[in-house]
Amino acid sequence: MARAIVLRLLTMAPKTRAQLAEALRKRDVPEEAADAVLDRFSELGLINDEAFAEAWVDSRHHGRGLAKRALAAELRHRGVDNDTVKEAVERLDSDQEAETARRLVDRKLASTRSLDPQTRTRRLAGMLARKGYSSGLAYRVIREALDEEGIDVEGDGFP
C-alpha cells in the first residue's frame, strides 16, 4: 500500500522525502513500512532531495523570479534539510539575483509610469520584497531603473 501511494504521488510531481513521509503518515501507513518504502525509493534514485532542491531553485528563480531567501523558505517548508537548501540556493550568485531583480523591475516599470516616483518606488520595492529580495538590492535596482528614465530619485525616500 505504501509503495502504491508513493508511486502515485511521484507520478503527479516530484516530492521531497518529507512530503512523502507526511502523506504516508496521513494515510495511517505504519512508520516501519513507510521508512522501508522511502529508503528503497531513495536507493533507486526516485526520491532525491538534492536533485529536487536544485530543480526547484532553477525553476522558481527563472520562472517566478524568486530570490535566494524566498527559495530557501519554500524548500524548508517542503521538508528539505538546511544543508541541502544552502547548497541549492548558493548555486545562484549575486549577479544572477541582481539581473533577475532588474528584469522584474523593468517588466513592472511601464505599468507605474503614471504614478509619482515615491509611489512607484514603494510598489516596486514591495514587489521585490515579496519575492525575497533584500531592501538594499531592491532600492539599488529601482534607483538604476528610474535613473535610466531620467527621474531623479535622490531625496524621494531612498535610503
Side-chain angles (χ1 to χ4, degrees):
M1 182 172 110
R3 190 173 22 246
I5 292 169
V6 170
L7 279 173
R8 187 170 31 80
L9 290 172
L10 287 174
T11 58
M12 290 190 290
K15 302 270 189 245
T16 64
R17 183 181 176 107
Q19 288 174 312
L20 294 168
E22 180 62 24
L24 293 173
R25 242 188 321 281
K26 285 181 179 177
R27 288 172 176 82
D28 296 323
V29 172
E31 191 173 334
E32 293 169 5
D35 286 342
V37 168
L38 294 174
D39 288 343
R40 181 67 180 142
F41 277 50
S42 294
E43 287 171 21
L44 295 172
L46 296 172
I47 301 172
N48 184 336
D49 283 357
E50 291 82 11
F52 176 89
E54 286 178 19
W56 187 266
V57 166
D58 288 343
S59 170
R60 303 287 280 182
H61 178 72
H62 296 295
R64 301 228 12 243
L66 297 182
K68 288 180 182 181
R69 184 173 36 188
L71 293 165
E74 286 186 351
L75 287 170
R76 283 189 196 97
H77 179 72
R78 282 160 179 74
V80 178
D81 69 86
N82 284 332
D83 291 338
T84 304
V85 168
K86 187 176 179 181
E87 285 178 32
V89 298
E90 289 304 316
R91 293 177 60 233
L92 289 177
D93 63 25
S94 56
D95 292 338
Q96 278 180 296
E97 204 169 32
E99 184 55 37
T100 301
R102 278 187 204 94
R103 277 198 325 272
L104 290 167
V105 166
D106 289 345
R107 258 192 296 189
K108 182 99 170 147
L109 214 51
S111 69
T112 65
R113 283 212 171 87
S114 64
L115 304 171
D116 65 274
Q118 279 187 320
T119 304
R120 291 178 87 184
T121 300
R122 191 175 58 249
R123 287 193 183 173
L124 293 166
M127 180 260 307
L128 290 175
R130 286 186 298 278
K131 291 187 178 284
Y133 291 91
S134 70
S135 60
L137 174 63
Y139 283 112
R140 187 177 79 234
V141 168
I142 295 166
R143 180 181 292 129
E144 290 169 3
L146 293 176
D147 279 347
E148 285 177 17
E149 286 190 353
I151 297 171
D152 182 27
V153 292
E154 294 306 317
D156 277 337
F158 273 89

